[in-house]
Amino acid sequence: MPFFTAADGCRIHYETSGSAGPRLILIPGLGGDGRFWTGVVRLIGADHRVIVTDHRGAGRSDRPERPYSIPLIASDIAGLLARTGGPAHIVGHSTGGAIAQVLALDHSQLGLSYTISSSWARADGRFRTLFSARAELLEAGLAETYQRLGHVLCHEPSYLETHAGELDAAVAAAPGTLAPLTVSAARVRMLLDHDRLADLPRIDAPVQVIAATGDILTPSALSEAIAASIPDARFVSVPGAHFHPLADPQGFAAIIRHFIPKADS
């Protein structure tokens, strides 16, 4: 498996696919596992050069017991891009969208365009209450409860019904996939510190912001605030819940295919 080694020695797992077409990187959300994007990669990999990365502290990357922050993960991804060929179209979902904001503001030489999906730029009171409670579940050792609640927050009822066996297996595996729970809790709490809303007007690159109408984890209003703050940002509303790229990879891939040629031109 390929790894990029960050400045502090943390190994960041990534995978590449495709040999021709626009270069882009897909950044997953809080779960931090690039396999979230499998369905989308299958659809765009034939005519795009795709990088999919795991976050530090998640997936197949190292999980050091140390402070976590969105700028730190953004610096990992900036280093990975620089090492593997330079600028790319940056696509980030949820926490990945917050990372994309930091890349656009602090590492702008590496972004050709930015797709910010179901994200936020400043935590409001509801967001703080929800994610503080999720962190507390992990700190109490309740990995299965954390996972089960995440399913309800991120999927539509129909998805919960049709994927019940798969989701039950994820709950059973949660103590292992989320270990160490102290790291997972620290990664949840890092979300509360992300506040770049006032900086977003400085972004000078093509941006599209995607929001799902049924998203109860990061409601559409948070994404609308991002789009309103970035000059000439394109706002796209889609049906579904928070995990819409997972539930409808065809729809998400179509949005990417429509946007990247326009950004390149």
Side-chain angles (χ1 to χ4, degrees):
M1 294 190 298
F3 288 91
F4 164 73
T5 301
D8 64 354
C10 183
R11 298 181 311 148
I12 309 301
H13 177 270
Y14 71 98
E15 295 180 347
T16 61
S17 61
S19 59
R23 172 173 151 92
L24 66 115
I25 186 165
L26 299 171
I27 308 171
L30 180 58
D33 193 317
R35 286 169 287 198
F36 174 85
W37 295 110
T38 298
V40 174
V41 172
R42 286 192 185 122
L43 294 164
I44 66 174
D47 51 4
H48 293 76
R49 292 172 292 145
V50 182
I51 303 170
V52 178
T53 183
D54 296 348
H55 299 184
R56 67 165 58 217
R60 294 148 290 180
S61 295
D62 289 347
R63 304 183 182 199
E65 296 265 10
R66 59 152 294 168
Y68 281 79
S69 71
I70 288 173
L72 178 61
I73 297 174
S75 71
D76 292 338
I77 294 173
L80 169 62
L81 287 173
R83 180 71 60 85
T84 58
H89 297 276
I90 294 170
V91 179
H93 178 72
S94 194
T95 299
I99 294 165
Q101 295 166 46
V102 174
L103 288 167
L105 291 164
D106 299 344
H107 306 274
S108 60
Q109 74 281 7
L110 292 169
L112 301 174
S113 73
Y114 302 88
T115 294
I116 300 169
S117 170
S118 297
S119 193
W120 78 103
R122 174 178 292 159
D124 60 14
R126 178 188 181 277
F127 186 103
R128 289 185 173 280
T129 299
L130 174 57
F131 283 91
S132 294
R134 296 185 78 195
E136 289 164 8
L137 290 175
L138 292 168
E139 290 159 354
L142 299 174
E144 295 97 331
T145 303
Y146 173 90
Q147 188 72 33
R148 194 177 293 112
L149 177 62
H151 292 162
V152 173
L153 291 170
C154 294
H155 291 297
E156 291 186 291
S158 59
Y159 190 97
L160 297 175
E161 292 289 339
T162 57
H163 294 79
E166 173 189 340
L167 297 176
D168 286 345
V171 169
T177 56
L178 295 170
L181 297 188
T182 51
V183 167
S184 288
R187 285 173 41 79
V188 175
R189 290 201 178 276
M190 76 181 179
L191 309 187
L192 305 178
D193 296 327
H194 177 63
D195 185 355
R196 301 303 298 268
L197 186 64
D199 298 327
L200 294 182
R202 293 198 285 108
I203 296 177
D204 183 22
V207 176
Q208 70 172 346
V209 179
I210 305 171
T213 55
D215 189 345
I216 61 172
L217 189 74
T218 55
S220 182
L222 296 176
S223 292
E224 291 170 14
I226 295 171
S229 298
I230 300 174
D232 301 318
R234 175 176 184 256
F235 181 76
V236 182
S237 181
V238 299
H242 186 70
F243 278 172
H244 57 91
L246 185 66
D248 182 20
Q250 294 89 351
F252 195 89
I255 293 170
I256 297 300
R257 286 184 179 281
H258 178 75
F259 177 67
I260 286 182
K262 293 180 179 296
D264 276 339
S265 65

